[in-house]
Amino acid sequence: MEGSSIRIENGKLAVPDNPVIPFIEGDGTGRDIWKASVRIFDEAVKSIFRGNKQVVWKEVLAGEKSFKASGNWLPEETIAAFREYLVGIKGPLTTPVGEGMRSLNVALRQELDLYTCYRPVRYFNGVPSPVRNPENVNMHIFRENTEDIYAGIEFMNGTPEAEKVKRFLMTEMGVKNIRFPGTSSIGIKPVSVEGTERLVRRAIIFALERNLPSVTLVHKGNIMKFTEGAFMKWGYALAEREFGDKVFTWNQHRQIIRKDGEKAADDSLSDAAASGKLIIKDVIADSFLQQILTRPAEYSVIATLNLNGDYISDALAAIVGGIGIAPGANINFETGHAIFEATHGTAPRYADQDKVNPGSVIISGALMFEYIGWNEVAGKIYSGLEKTIKNRLVTYDFHRLMDNATLLKTSEFADAVISNI
């Protein structure tokens, strides 16, 4: 079937009945996961649209499969396809640790300026969890995707570039606290006003559109005052300037404390919440990682920097059942470009064994259908997945944690989800 491109028109996606969606099946276990997931996607689309709408899947290459075919880990043709068709999906890709190429995932985000990494974290009934009340976790993480240390600006100790940077810092800038300059590698952490504002803006819009109670700016500004601390300050300023009386910020709360005292400030906060205003607050990153275990119900939408978001996303995923069912989306809301992805690794020792949990790609696909406005399709996927797990029909990662569960292969798990769609 010949398909058509998704377009962006007047700031909104224009989705044809037969959209072309590029996909990368992924390395290692990605091959088994994609085969299972695409069957579920097609069945959900068919069950809603009865043949009147259909996804036209277009395979593009990256990772090991691409390298074996062309000697190129990330061909320009793949990036061009994501540029042209706007929306795509991918499985896990190989990234060597400590040497060689930088992350292919990061490269795609940088090339397409996919500045938001969106990671929703919710509990599916029946999923085994290491905490007592995982159902209290229902958060939407907006992780800045292009700045911070993930910008990839770093220099290896012993190289001329590293020595030049260190020499400049010590002689020109007067830096004296590089403890061991002779053996130190150097990295640079850019955090910009523009990068902060566009992320926080989207987090606030998301919360307002869904009538959610709060947006929390998570940062380490007590130590990194001019990067992470600035992220917090710029985030508050953006909220107050652009969203006015729709929000009440802890920055305003602190100003009232200084002027009128704590009781007046707390009364203003209570009044704002009672009137339905969105509360914008902040928390230090290490404290937040504690509080997601002790009082997760107090948090809804999270806006944070790149490295914090990486840690937070995986920690929250563990609470609701593990990274095997953690979805991810990388989005530029202005251009419309978005790539949805598995958030786990390639697990090569399980490759081609028809064994692993395909949940991460399945739920990422559901997010993709929500993004293009096919919400009923996403609903079918969610309900089919949850019913399957609730019936204790699971892959090995859940099976080893559940009593009286039935162990399924990856392909059999897909069969079970399809039967519940």
Side-chain angles (χ1 to χ4, degrees):
M1 180 181 181
E2 187 175 348
S4 303
S5 299
I6 297 173
R7 297 297 182 195
I8 189 93
E9 297 177 359
N10 300 318
K12 296 183 178 180
L13 290 183
V15 182
D17 290 343
N18 55 342
V20 176
I21 296 183
F23 73 91
I24 301 169
E25 67 175 5
D27 296 328
T29 56
R31 294 183 287 273
D32 287 338
I33 290 170
W34 176 254
K35 289 174 187 174
S37 299
V38 73
R39 290 170 50 215
I40 293 168
F41 300 155
D42 287 340
E43 182 63 29
V45 170
K46 180 180 177 182
S47 70
I48 293 297
F49 296 123
R50 304 297 179 186
N52 293 317
K53 295 185 180 183
Q54 180 180 341
V55 172
V56 178
W57 302 105
K58 176 182 176 63
E59 183 174 13
V60 294
L61 300 182
E64 291 177 348
K65 187 173 183 178
S66 174
F67 188 77
K68 289 176 181 178
S70 67
N72 192 339
W73 290 96
L74 182 59
E76 179 56 39
E77 294 83 1
T78 295
I79 297 173
F82 284 125
R83 281 200 182 101
E84 178 181 356
Y85 297 109
L86 294 190
V87 177
I89 188 168
K90 59 175 283 298
L93 292 174
T94 299
T95 298
V97 176
E99 60 181 355
M101 63 174 181
R102 295 194 184 277
S103 166
L104 294 174
N105 299 320
V106 173
L108 283 167
R109 296 166 190 167
Q110 294 280 349
E111 286 286 340
L112 298 169
D113 195 25
L114 305 176
Y115 65 84
T116 296
C117 179
Y118 170 57
R119 295 275 298 270
V121 185
R122 54 166 284 195
Y123 180 68
F124 287 90
N125 189 22
V127 172
S129 168
V131 302
R132 182 173 298 172
N133 299 115
E135 67 278 3
N136 290 336
V137 175
N138 188 3
M139 298 187 207
H140 303 269
I141 303 163
F142 281 69
R143 168 191 173 194
E144 204 291 318
N145 228 356
T146 62
E147 298 191 319
D148 198 3
I149 63 171
Y150 277 71
I153 307 170
E154 58 179 356
F155 306 97
M156 183 64 190
N157 168 55
T159 64
E161 294 83 2
E163 298 312 308
K164 184 176 182 179
V165 172
K166 286 185 283 187
R167 188 165 53 250
F168 171 77
L169 290 174
M170 291 186 290
T171 61
E172 299 292 328
M173 301 298 292
V175 172
K176 299 186 183 302
N177 55 350
I178 301 176
R179 184 63 58 86
F180 303 106
T183 60
S184 292
S185 295
I186 294 290
I188 297 175
K189 177 188 177 78
V191 178
S192 69
V193 174
E194 295 91 339
T196 297
E197 288 187 344
R198 65 182 183 174
L199 178 88
V200 173
R201 180 182 296 114
R202 282 298 163 177
I204 292 173
I205 290 171
F206 181 93
L208 289 171
E209 288 178 345
R210 290 158 180 78
N211 197 31
L212 298 174
S214 68
V215 172
T216 303
L217 309 174
V218 180
H219 61 92
K220 193 65 179 169
N222 56 330
I223 304 299
M224 292 172 277
K225 299 182 185 299
F226 305 133
T227 52
E228 304 224 359
F231 173 86
M232 176 198 71
K233 292 178 180 178
W234 295 333
Y236 277 138
L238 178 282
E240 293 167 9
R241 182 177 70 250
E242 293 193 5
F243 295 93
D245 59 4
K246 295 180 181 178
V247 304
F248 184 84
T249 73
W250 279 14
N251 184 49
Q252 293 169 320
H253 183 262
R254 291 162 183 153
Q255 292 172 0
I256 296 173
I257 289 177
R258 289 192 290 269
K259 181 181 178 182
D260 299 319
E262 288 191 15
K263 185 179 185 306
D266 289 344
D267 287 345
S268 296
L269 179 60
S270 297
D271 291 344
S275 65
K277 287 187 178 182
L278 178 67
I279 306 302
I280 314 293
K281 53 188 177 177
D282 74 275
V283 65
I284 302 298
D286 47 317
S287 178
F288 180 75
L289 287 169
Q290 173 186 259
Q291 291 177 24
I292 61 175
L293 292 172
T294 58
R295 43 185 183 180
E298 294 183 10
Y299 297 98
S300 180
V301 178
I302 309 302
T304 191
L305 293 124
N306 211 327
L307 183 61
N308 294 335
D310 200 358
Y311 296 150
I312 289 166
S313 298
D314 284 4
L316 283 168
I319 292 173
V320 298
I323 202 165
I325 60 165
N330 302 286
I331 305 171
N332 183 315
F333 289 96
E334 284 70 44
T335 67
H337 288 99
I339 298 178
F340 298 79
E341 65 179 354
T343 59
H344 53 73
T346 59
R349 73 175 189 169
Y350 296 125
D352 305 313
Q353 294 183 29
D354 198 20
K355 183 175 182 177
V356 297
N357 189 341
S360 182
V361 169
I362 293 170
I363 304 174
S364 295
L367 292 182
M368 181 187 73
F369 286 117
E370 289 178 338
Y371 181 71
I372 68 172
W374 293 11
N375 295 319
E376 298 91 343
V377 175
K380 282 284 186 179
I381 295 170
Y382 290 134
S383 62
L385 183 67
E386 187 159 30
K387 185 174 181 180
T388 302
I389 296 171
K390 190 175 182 180
N391 290 339
R392 313 183 84 77
L393 303 172
V394 293
T395 48
Y396 86 100
D397 55 327
F398 286 175
H399 182 264
R400 62 189 177 183
L401 301 173
M402 298 170 69
D403 296 325
N404 303 315
T406 300
L407 176 62
L408 300 180
K409 298 178 180 179
T410 309
S411 56
E412 293 171 336
F413 184 79
D415 292 337
V417 174
I418 288 170
S419 71
N420 287 318
I421 287 178

